[in-house]
């Protein structure tokens, strides 16, 4: 049997079985994120996170985006932690605070990529929850920074301390 | 046929069989968890940021099925060359998807073997996929050249 015929047979059978499977089980949906107490922005369960599209970003790539001015960082740690130090220019949406206001969302819509972070990478679900929520507001590219602030600082990337003047008027 | 040629061809046959079984095992291991949890696989696919949203669900259903059939066909005689060629193409595709993610600085889990395997995408993983792909390509080419054509089959009968 010719090679192309073999490939065709396998592909057709695969497609037919996939269609059958999809017909019987339906097309898959992304799993819903588990509810997390004290999630960033709060009110996560009311918003329904089932269809979130959020990926990861490394500190290196986030730094590159920062140089290009096309990124907005969102810090979801507590107020004292934020005051002590954060990514330069980051906005602050603390876990214990309310949902981000429309003005803050409007500011985030001006960025090509929004990066959330907290104190760790995969272990910090707060930043994942916030990223999911922001993604569901229609922001096209929301990512969670792998390793969080410690990874950012370990690279010696720009950071600053103090409050977030933009947040008081927009949050 | 000389003795050393006979030894070479039997060595190649054994090597090809090992490659077939190895690749089939790899693809079975990869396909089954994804078939069981297509939603999780869809999530992994989305993290690569290559496919448009509309294609995520069809690919999450179709790709594991293709992996499963390739695995089974690698073990079955008549479709070895075709399944090995498809396996090679898939592995090159996976390597390309991982390479673009690394090149863009996207730090993600490969999703290669379902939710239980959370290996990070790395250049090592890209290289490993290329090696597997080359192995599958060799199986496809060598299986094809050893399959009897209608002419040679008739000559053998005659």
């Amino acid at each position: 049997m010719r090679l192309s015929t073999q490939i065709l047979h396998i592909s057709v059978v695969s497609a037919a079985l996939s269609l059958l499977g999809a017909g019987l089980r339906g097309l898959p949906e992304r799993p819903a994120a588990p509810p997390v107490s004290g999630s960033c922005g709060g009110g996560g369960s009311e918003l329904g996170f089932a269809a979130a599209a959020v990926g990861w970003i490394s500190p290196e790539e986030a730094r590159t985006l920062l140089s290009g001015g096309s990124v907005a960082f969102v810090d979801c740690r507590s107020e004292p932690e934020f005051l002590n130090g954060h990514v330069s220019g980051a906005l602050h949406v603390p876990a214990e605070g309310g949902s981000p206001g429309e003005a803050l969302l409007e500011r985030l819509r001006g960025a090509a990529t929004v990066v959330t972070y907290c104190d760790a990478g995969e272990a910090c679900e707060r930043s994942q929850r916030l990223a999911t929520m922001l993604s569901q507001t229609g922001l096209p590219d929301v990512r969670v920074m792998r390793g969080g602030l410690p990874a950012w600082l370990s690279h010696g990337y720009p950071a600053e301390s103090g409050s977030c003047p933009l947040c008081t008027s927009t949050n | 046929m000389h003795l050393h040629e006979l030894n070479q061809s039997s060595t190649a046959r054994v090597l090809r069989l090992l490659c077939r079984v190895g690749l089939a095992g790899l693809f079975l291991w990869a396909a089954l968890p994804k078939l069981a949890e297509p939603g999780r696989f869809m999530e992994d696919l989305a993290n690569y940021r290559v496919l448009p949203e509309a294609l995520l669900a069809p690919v999450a259903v179709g790709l594991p099925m293709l992996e499963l059939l390739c695995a089974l066909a690698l073990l079955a005689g008549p479709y070895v060359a075709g399944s090995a060629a498809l396996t090679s193409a898939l592995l090159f595709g996976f390597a390309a998807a991982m390479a673009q993610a690394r090149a863009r600085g996207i730090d993600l889990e490969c999703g290669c073997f379902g939710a239980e395997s959370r290996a990070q995408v790395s250049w090592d993983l890209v290289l490993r996929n290329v090696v597997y792909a080359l192995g599958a390509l060799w199986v496809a080419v060598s299986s094809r050249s050893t399959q009897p054509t209608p002419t040679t089959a008739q000559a053998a009968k005659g």
Side-chain angles (χ1 to χ4, degrees), chain A residues 2-161:
Chain A
R2 291 177 58 172
L3 184 68
S4 55
T5 312
Q6 292 184 27
I7 292 173
L8 185 67
H9 284 179
I10 295 170
S11 304
V12 167
V13 172
S14 171
L17 288 175
S18 300
L19 282 173
L20 185 66
L24 292 174
R25 296 166 64 183
L27 282 174
E29 288 180 5
R30 295 192 208 175
V36 177
S37 58
S39 61
C40 284
S45 56
E46 293 87 23
L47 290 166
F49 290 123
V54 169
W56 293 96
I57 190 170
S58 65
E60 293 89 342
E61 194 195 13
R63 175 70 180 88
T64 307
L65 294 177
L66 181 63
S67 304
S70 59
V71 64
F73 286 89
V74 182
D75 188 316
C76 64
R77 299 172 305 146
S78 67
E79 184 76 23
E81 288 173 314
F82 184 86
L83 291 173
N84 198 37
H86 51 265
V87 172
S88 291
L91 297 169
H92 188 212
V93 182
E96 62 274 17
S99 299
E102 186 54 38
L104 187 142
L105 287 174
E106 199 54 48
R107 182 172 293 278
L108 294 178
R109 287 190 191 105
T113 302
V114 173
V115 176
T116 67
Y117 69 89
C118 46
D119 267 334
E122 290 175 75
C124 184
E125 288 189 274
R126 294 180 301 171
S127 53
Q128 295 177 42
R129 297 287 293 179
L130 175 61
T132 305
M133 184 180 67
L134 292 175
S135 177
Q136 292 205 325
T137 64
L139 293 171
D141 189 12
V142 185
R143 321 257 194 110
V144 179
M145 186 160 70
R146 180 84 70 185
L149 187 65
W152 179 267
L153 295 176
S154 72
H155 285 85
Y157 294 155
E160 62 188 10
S161 58

